[in-house]
Amino acid sequence: MIALDYAFCLTVGQAICPQKDINDFCLALGHAFTTQFPDARCQLMIRDEQQDEWLQLADIKPKHFQLFTPMAPACNRDIDLLARLSTLKNTSANDDLSYQLIPLKIRGGSYGALILTTPFSFPADPHACEMLSLLLSGALDSHLQQQAFLLERTQHQKTEEKRIQEVSSQKGLLEQLHILHKISLRLWHSHSLDNMLHTAVYECIHALDFDRMAIFLINTHTGLMRGTYGTDIHGTVTNEQWYCTAIYEHYHAKTTLDKKQHITINEDVPLFHDSKEVGTGWNATISLWDGDEPIGWIACDNLITGTPLKSYHCELLKLLGVTMSQHLIQRHAQDQLKSLNQSLEQRVADRTAQLEEVNRRLNQISREDSLTKIPNRRMLDEKLEEEWRRAMRYQTPLTILIVDIDHFKQYNDMYGHALGDKCLAQVAEALSHVERRAGATLARFGGEEFVFLLPGITKAESKTVAERALKAVSSLQIPHGASPIAPYVTISAGGKTCIPDKPNNQQQLFIDADVALYEAKSSGKNQAFVL
């Protein structure tokens, strides 16, 4: 006879006690019930006190077994059945089916139930049912506790693994940030924008966790984007300044800039080089900004080694973008300042040269006779003082030769002052070629008088110079219709040669030369006399 009695309880106990986990427990339990009660259905239900709901753990039928992991909420039909069975004291017959409820209790509280459904009625010993409840409750609670422990341990292991990964990731990020800091220091010491961009690409691909990198600069005024330095498919740094295109033609850069994103990363996408697909991997587009104005972008990928995208890559690449932006802004400011300084230096240099030229010209004007373009009396006085000191120091001869145009007043009266000025200029030009020795100076003394300062020559040599002066002027053949001594302009010369014996006695040399000039004029003019 089929019955739920002590013998059946013993059979169930023998079946479920050796089982190691809840899956085997439910299989053994279902086998014991379906063997004892053919065509029976066993449902294990667990009460969730926190959520105040019933959960289904297992549904066991002949040739059918279903374990719910995690447990599934019970359907309304089963919940109504549990309520009805609890009211009818654990048994019920309805719809040609017989139901038996085995409550599951632990530590004085109810936490679940087993519903046995059969197509026939059978006797159930209340004491046996109570014993079965104790057997099932203890074993099931043990397995549930074990399952909870294993789940918690698994979660703990996953948490620990995640923690280890996070620590490793943080350590990797710190190492990469330290390297990025060193790269930044090298960029600060770059001597030019070109050198900085080359250094950035070279250092980053050799030290950071990606394989290829390229930097592009943007001119928002022209809408153009140009290349700087990048890497080929082998990771070699190449000069890509030849590359120039409109910003809108580059989809990734335009999208990143339009959305004002700092970084865009794509995984498992085609990778390109020179517009040709060369592989698959991840790539990143990092935008570079000066405030709200885009100034460029960086492209990088993992084409060569296939280094997987790491959790810290996003933050690392963002910091790379900020670092490059700062360096580009600083370099642009430096270049502008350098250009401004060079411009100012050039303007100062030009202005200084202009001032020097003006000063030179002023100095020249102050020492040059404006009509004849030869030294004036001021220049003569300075040279005489200098040569006097030198002649006195070395005891060498010094000569003053005064030249005067004969009857020049009458020339002006006859021909006018304009031709008189022209005559003076012609005479000065002729006299300037008479003596070329070092230190010799010809100056206009005033009016129609000129003076030769002749250092280091003897009295005889002075007479020779005077004769050459007379000849030079005579050869000009300047007509002089008012001259009683010749039909052309002539000069008279008087000179004095001495060896200075005391300072500041130049005036006496002039007086003696003037006396000599007076002798030449008194003797009929157009001649020279040297003392």
Side-chain angles (χ1 to χ4, degrees):
M1 178 180 178
I2 299 174
L4 200 161
D5 52 14
Y6 285 107
F8 177 69
C9 289
L10 181 60
T11 301
V12 171
Q14 291 174 342
I16 64 175
C17 285
Q19 308 309 319
K20 296 181 180 180
D21 57 39
I22 196 167
N23 184 70
D24 292 344
F25 168 82
C26 292
L27 282 173
L29 178 65
H31 183 266
F33 270 94
T34 54
T35 299
Q36 179 71 6
F37 302 96
D39 299 326
R41 177 187 182 188
C42 295
Q43 292 174 272
L44 275 174
M45 313 294 287
I46 302 298
R47 179 71 177 173
D48 186 347
E49 296 293 342
Q50 293 182 347
Q51 300 294 330
D52 191 23
E53 64 177 348
W54 283 95
L55 302 174
Q56 188 166 9
L57 173 62
D59 189 358
I60 308 166
K61 302 175 184 177
K63 300 181 181 180
H64 174 80
F65 170 77
Q66 185 174 7
L67 179 68
F68 296 93
T69 306
M71 290 182 281
C75 65
N76 292 333
R77 180 180 176 280
D78 290 337
I79 294 173
D80 292 341
L81 178 61
L82 281 167
R84 188 170 71 251
L85 290 175
S86 298
T87 303
L88 297 175
K89 297 184 180 179
N90 305 338
T91 62
S92 176
N94 189 24
D95 300 329
D96 298 327
L97 296 175
S98 179
Y99 301 96
Q100 179 68 44
L101 177 66
I102 307 296
L104 303 177
K105 300 179 181 179
I106 193 71
R107 291 178 290 277
S110 176
Y111 76 92
L114 181 144
I115 303 174
L116 176 63
T117 304
T118 62
F120 51 82
S121 298
F122 58 87
D125 187 336
H127 295 290
C129 289
E130 185 175 353
M131 180 180 293
L132 183 60
S133 173
L134 292 173
L135 282 172
L136 295 178
S137 296
L140 181 58
D141 181 66
S142 175
H143 287 301
L144 288 175
Q145 291 291 340
Q146 181 186 24
Q147 185 183 47
F149 169 75
L150 293 175
L151 179 61
E152 183 177 356
R153 186 173 69 178
T154 301
Q155 291 176 342
H156 175 74
Q157 289 174 345
K158 290 181 179 179
T159 302
E160 181 64 16
E161 290 174 359
K162 185 176 180 181
R163 185 190 69 82
I164 293 173
Q165 290 176 353
E166 288 295 327
V167 170
S168 176
S169 177
Q170 290 295 324
K171 183 178 179 181
L173 177 59
L174 288 176
E175 291 175 351
Q176 292 285 287
L177 291 179
H178 182 64
I179 293 171
L180 183 59
H181 175 67
K182 289 184 176 180
I183 294 174
S184 180
L185 291 178
R186 292 191 182 100
L187 297 182
W188 282 121
H189 293 91
S190 300
H191 54 76
S192 66
L193 176 62
D194 185 81
N195 177 252
M196 184 190 76
L197 293 168
H198 181 276
T199 300
V201 174
Y202 181 85
E203 294 291 343
C204 287
I205 65 171
H206 284 86
L208 300 181
D209 281 341
F210 49 81
D211 299 336
R212 297 196 307 160
M213 172 178 170
I215 302 176
F216 301 86
L217 298 182
I218 293 172
N219 187 327
T220 54
H221 300 294
T222 62
L224 294 177
M225 174 180 71
R226 69 176 181 86
T228 60
Y229 287 93
T231 44
D232 60 19
I233 59 176
H234 305 294
T236 304
V237 180
T238 58
N239 189 325
E240 298 179 348
Q241 296 180 14
W242 53 268
Y243 181 79
C244 184
T245 185
I247 298 174
Y248 69 84
E249 293 181 358
H250 202 287
Y251 174 77
H252 291 299
K254 185 176 185 300
T255 302
T256 302
L257 296 174
D258 287 347
K259 294 182 179 180
K260 295 189 179 297
Q261 295 175 319
H262 288 284
I263 184 171
T264 301
I265 299 178
N266 301 297
E267 294 189 74
D268 297 324
V269 294
L271 303 179
F272 294 86
H273 184 76
D274 289 341
S275 301
K276 296 179 181 178
E277 185 175 340
V278 292
T280 303
W282 64 261
N283 65 16
T285 302
I286 307 108
S287 55
L288 307 176
W289 300 84
D290 182 0
D292 293 331
E293 182 176 356
I295 56 177
W297 62 282
I298 299 173
C300 54
D301 61 38
N302 67 334
L303 172 68
I304 301 171
T305 63
T307 302
L309 194 67
K310 298 181 180 177
S311 60
Y312 58 73
H313 262 119
C314 184
E315 292 302 320
L316 176 66
L317 295 175
K318 281 183 181 179
L319 288 174
L320 174 61
V322 172
T323 300
M324 283 305 305
S325 295
Q326 291 176 341
H327 283 292
L328 286 171
I329 293 169
Q330 183 262 351
R331 176 58 60 181
H332 181 65
Q334 278 188 347
D335 290 346
Q336 283 187 325
L337 181 60
K338 183 178 180 180
S339 176
L340 179 60
N341 286 338
Q342 289 176 342
S343 176
L344 289 175
E345 288 174 359
Q346 185 60 46
R347 290 172 62 185
V348 169
D350 293 344
R351 188 62 175 167
T352 301
Q354 291 175 359
L355 290 174
E356 288 177 350
E357 176 61 23
V358 169
N359 288 333
R360 186 195 66 77
R361 184 59 183 158
L362 287 174
N363 185 59
Q364 180 182 3
I365 291 173
S366 68
R367 289 169 169 75
E368 181 182 88
D369 180 62
S370 59
L371 176 63
T372 61
K373 307 304 179 184
I374 62 175
N376 58 16
R377 183 167 180 173
R378 177 182 176 184
M379 182 65 172
L380 178 64
D381 290 342
E382 292 178 358
K383 292 291 291 183
L384 177 57
E385 183 177 356
E386 179 183 341
E387 294 298 341
W388 184 271
R389 289 197 302 268
R390 183 180 291 111
M392 188 173 65
R393 184 183 308 117
Y394 298 108
Q395 288 297 288
T396 56
L398 182 62
T399 299
I400 285 289
L401 185 64
I402 302 175
V403 175
D404 184 77
I405 299 176
D406 297 327
H407 301 290
F408 190 67
K409 181 179 180 304
Q410 289 80 355
Y411 186 91
N412 276 333
D413 291 343
M414 174 174 281
Y415 297 104
H417 289 284
L419 287 179
D421 290 344
K422 182 178 179 181
C423 175
L424 287 171
Q426 289 177 301
V427 171
E429 175 66 17
L431 294 177
S432 64
H433 297 289
V434 169
E435 183 56 48
R436 293 291 192 176
R437 274 184 271 198
T441 302
L442 171 67
R444 186 181 178 192
F445 195 64
E448 66 273 18
E449 285 188 332
F450 300 88
V451 174
F452 281 100
L453 175 62
L454 305 170
I457 66 175
T458 63
K459 179 179 179 180
E461 291 172 329
S462 299
K463 287 182 179 181
T464 302
V465 173
E467 292 297 334
R468 289 207 305 269
L470 267 64
K471 184 177 180 180
V473 173
S474 296
S475 63
L476 293 174
Q477 294 290 298
I478 301 173
H480 191 343
S483 174
I485 59 174
Y488 47 82
V489 173
T490 60
I491 60 171
S492 298
K496 170 66 177 179
T497 300
C498 73
I499 296 177
D501 56 355
K502 56 183 178 180
N504 302 320
N505 198 31
Q506 303 93 312
Q507 190 61 35
Q508 186 58 49
L509 182 61
F510 260 109
I511 292 173
D512 293 342
D514 195 52
V515 170
L517 177 61
Y518 179 77
E519 288 294 331
K521 284 185 171 292
S522 299
S523 300
K525 299 184 176 63
N526 194 20
Q527 58 183 282
F529 188 79
V530 179
L531 297 174

